Amino acid sequence: MARFGFIHGKLDIKLLILYLLSRVAAPIDFATLTDLCLCDEGVDYFLYAEAAAELLDSGHLVQEAGHYAITDKGRRVCADGESSLSPVIRQRCDQRLTPLNAALKRRAQVRAGVEPLPGGAFQVRLDLEDDQGSLLSLSLLASTQEDGEQIARRFTDHPDRIYNGILGVLLSDGPQKGGVS
């Protein structure tokens, strides 16, 4: 069966993988990489899986904790060969990477964790960063792990609301001394 598209073989697929991983904001899992690579009807899944495995074996990619990242060796090869990828494919890849990179960047800037403490309480650590550094670092005590996990989850779901709420309280005039509260 003839395949149509801009990708025509394993070498094109390897370049496509390297191109994508050289532009992604953080390591990604195989399913996400697969979704990104299936941007052209010329990509055969089995050739793609074979190409990814070969790039791992050759040291162009690394895999840690189920996430793939490009190595310096892979970056050099990509820089030398990416011009042989169709401009249409590069544009499709860049368009698909934009929302993914935004989500990966946000995930890296918002962190929350729950740790048990002696005595049965739990410490909840919340961190929010931007491109300039730390915006908020907060440590709270929770009486149960479930409460701590709920606090952490709500923080990661709405860090901007929590940050703005804290700033609103800290920067407001608040009730005047002697006034009614």
Side-chain angles (χ1 to χ4, degrees), residues 15-29 33 36-37 55 60-62 67-71 75 78 97:
L15 282 171
L16 176 64
I17 293 168
L18 293 174
Y19 182 85
L20 287 163
L21 287 175
S22 72
R23 284 161 176 73
V24 74
I28 55 176
D29 61 25
L33 181 59
L36 290 170
C37 284
L55 287 170
H60 292 88
L61 304 180
V62 292
H67 287 74
Y68 290 77
I70 192 168
T71 63
R75 285 187 196 286
C78 181
L97 283 170

Side-chain angles (χ1 to χ4, degrees), residues 151-180:
I151 291 167
R153 188 172 41 259
R154 287 191 176 160
F155 179 75
T156 57
D157 289 346
H158 305 287
D160 50 336
R161 288 175 46 196
I162 293 165
Y163 175 75
N164 289 328
I166 291 171
L167 276 184
V169 169
L170 294 174
L171 296 175
S172 70
D173 289 337
Q176 297 295 320
K177 200 173 194 179
V180 179

Side-chain angles (χ1 to χ4, degrees), residues 112-115 122-126 138-142 144 147-149 151-152:
V114 180
E115 302 169 6
F122 293 84
Q123 184 170 38
V124 184
R125 293 187 187 275
L126 310 172
L138 184 61
S139 181
L140 303 168
L141 287 180
T144 67
D147 287 346
E149 289 171 358
I151 291 167

Side-chain angles (χ1 to χ4, degrees), residues 16-17 20 28-40 43 45 48 92-93 96-97 99-100:
L16 176 64
I17 293 168
L20 287 163
I28 55 176
D29 61 25
F30 190 75
T32 303
L33 181 59
T34 302
D35 183 53
L36 290 170
C37 284
L38 295 177
C39 64
D40 184 70
V43 177
Y45 174 80
Y48 154 74
R92 281 182 197 166
C93 290
R96 296 179 97 181
L97 283 170
L100 175 63

